Amino acid sequence: MNDRYENAEKLVVQEVAPRDGLQIEPTWVETADKIALIDSLSTLGFARIEAGSFVSPKAIPALRDGEAVFQQIERHPGVVYVALVPNLKGAERALASRADELNLVMSASQSHNRANMRMSCESSLAAFGDVVRRVKDASGGSQKVSLNGTVATAFGCPFEGAIAEDRVLGIVDIYRKLGLDGITLADTTGMANPRQVARIVSRVLERLPAAALTLHFHNTRGLGLANVLAAYEAGARRFDAALGGLGGCPFAPGASGNICTEDLVNLCAEMGIPTGIDLDQLIVLSRGLPALLGHDVPGQLAKAGRNRDLHAVPDYVLQI
Ligand code: COA
Ligand code: ZN
């Protein structure tokens, strides 16, 4: 049996460290350092980078410099720069800052949406309607902006526990009716398991093409990459991941990092799934994170090295 897939379809990675990764960091990261991080990521083969959010600066002070970041990054052709947006005010800010795509976020659970967005799911959906109308107006002019809708807590909520699958699918249908181009299912606090993921992905892919579906896993309970493989086997092709395994929602108790980009790209490299991402340079970039943030990061590959990074046989072994 072959250890590698043959002719595997590409797995598209959206890098989210500049948004999900930095939003929970307690120490302020200078605007220039954020820009340098995004500019470096832009050279490594990512098709999509979530570069920041336009939310209340009181809610997420770490990302209050979204305008400066979006205005000063070096745009690479072929890279879509995404901004997370909760409401019309965020959409106005993102459009003025030339974001290529707006990512609208609502939780499947009312209690997490109230904790995170300070409103009911119904109020979030009403705000999304305003955003869609605003973006279609802008796109009628010169600006071509795409829209993505995220269903947070889609695989479980830290307040409510299990989330009914039909509720998630119902939100997917509402997002499609709103005219959103893409949909992300997010496991905000790492409650998904691979069988659940395979089942939900299969059901969602009956409704939309794989190119329109992104999976967003957190590794809170160590199941992140197992969930990726289950989703890939079920037909999903797009995944969010954060350099170093940074990340987490500050309004979800017990939240921790996204799946780690370099760990994911290594999994793909070892199994023969193309990603188009320069893994060696990704590791170099990840190894700079502890100095930038002042603490160790969860990712494992940057510490262990790749399989091919072998060690010298110790002298005592040579003498045996
Ligand atoms: N960007 C900047 N400021 C915003 C904003 C936005 N997108 N939306 C609202 N505000 C400002 C308002 O102008 C108002 O400012 P003021 O106090 O100076 O008058 C203030 O925030 C309160 O506005 P309100 O509409 O009452 O918001 P709220 O307090 O009910 O909070 C959200 C609602 C959605 C703005 C807030 O909960 C939020 O930003 N959540 C995002 C959390 C997040 O990013 N989580 C992680 C990612 S999933
Ligand atoms: Zn997340």
Side-chain angles (χ1 to χ4, degrees):
M1 195 183 130
N2 199 330
D3 288 345
R4 296 165 64 82
Y5 284 91
E6 274 169 33
N7 305 317
E9 279 183 36
K10 185 172 179 176
L11 185 152
V12 175
V13 185
Q14 170 167 275
E15 175 57 52
V16 299
R19 196 280 297 171
D20 204 324
L22 296 186
Q23 71 183 10
I24 199 170
E25 284 299 322
T27 307
W28 171 249
V29 175
E30 293 296 338
T31 306
D33 290 328
K34 288 178 179 134
I35 293 166
L37 174 65
I38 296 165
D39 285 351
S40 299
L41 289 165
S42 292
T43 66
L44 299 187
F46 293 102
R48 309 166 56 78
I49 298 175
E50 196 163 58
S53 64
F54 292 97
V55 302
S56 158
K58 285 189 200 121
I60 307 281
L63 298 182
R64 63 180 183 266
D65 54 353
E67 276 88 355
V69 170
F70 269 84
Q71 279 158 16
Q72 293 171 48
I73 51 175
E74 194 181 320
R75 311 280 177 129
H76 280 242
V79 181
V80 173
Y81 295 91
V82 182
L84 184 148
V85 161
N87 56 14
L88 187 58
K89 176 157 189 178
E92 298 286 4
R93 294 174 61 205
L95 291 172
S97 307
R98 294 193 300 115
D100 299 315
E101 179 168 304
L102 311 191
N103 182 20
L104 305 171
V105 178
M106 181 189 80
S107 303
S109 56
Q110 288 283 2
S111 42
H112 184 259
N113 204 59
R114 286 183 190 278
N116 194 32
M117 298 299 177
R118 300 189 170 275
M119 58 181 120
S120 65
C121 294
E122 291 71 22
S123 298
S124 278
L125 290 173
F128 295 173
D130 296 340
V131 172
V132 170
R133 281 186 287 281
R134 175 67 184 83
V135 167
K136 301 280 174 202
D137 283 353
S139 296
S142 57
Q143 209 167 2
K144 182 78 196 99
V145 175
S146 54
L147 286 162
N148 188 75
T150 290
V151 189
T153 65
F155 300 90
C157 167
F159 304 113
E160 297 180 20
I163 297 295
E165 223 166 273
D166 285 341
R167 170 151 181 89
V168 175
L169 290 161
I171 297 170
V172 168
D173 289 341
I174 292 171
Y175 281 179
R176 291 179 67 225
K177 278 204 195 100
L178 271 172
L180 306 187
D181 306 290
I183 286 171
T184 297
L185 299 182
D187 185 23
T188 308
T189 55
M191 293 172 74
N193 78 61
R195 283 173 67 89
Q196 176 193 21
V197 165
R199 196 179 58 238
I200 296 183
V201 165
S202 303
R203 290 188 69 186
V204 172
L205 289 179
E206 286 166 8
R207 294 165 151 78
L208 43 110
L213 174 66
T214 302
L215 278 299
H216 176 105
F217 294 123
H218 282 261
N219 199 34
T220 312
R221 292 177 174 80
L223 296 183
L225 293 188
N227 287 330
V228 169
L229 268 190
Y232 183 82
E233 295 278 2
R237 294 292 177 265
R238 288 162 52 138
F239 296 86
D240 286 351
L243 189 73
L246 301 177
C249 174
F251 304 101
S256 64
N258 290 85
I259 55 167
C260 167
T261 309
E262 61 272 21
D263 292 5
L264 170 62
V265 174
N266 178 64
L267 168 82
C268 293
E270 292 299 323
M271 293 188 75
I273 303 173
T275 61
I277 293 166
D278 182 338
L279 181 53
D280 293 322
Q281 287 309 312
L282 200 57
I283 293 171
V284 170
L285 200 56
S286 179
R287 286 179 176 157
L289 287 177
L292 179 67
L293 303 172
H295 60 79
D296 191 15
V297 299
Q300 291 177 278
L301 185 76
K303 293 168 196 146
R306 299 181 68 172
N307 289 9
R308 67 178 189 211
D309 298 335
L310 303 179
H311 300 266
V313 177
D315 284 348
Y316 77 91
V317 173
L318 295 173
Q319 285 155 17
I320 293 170

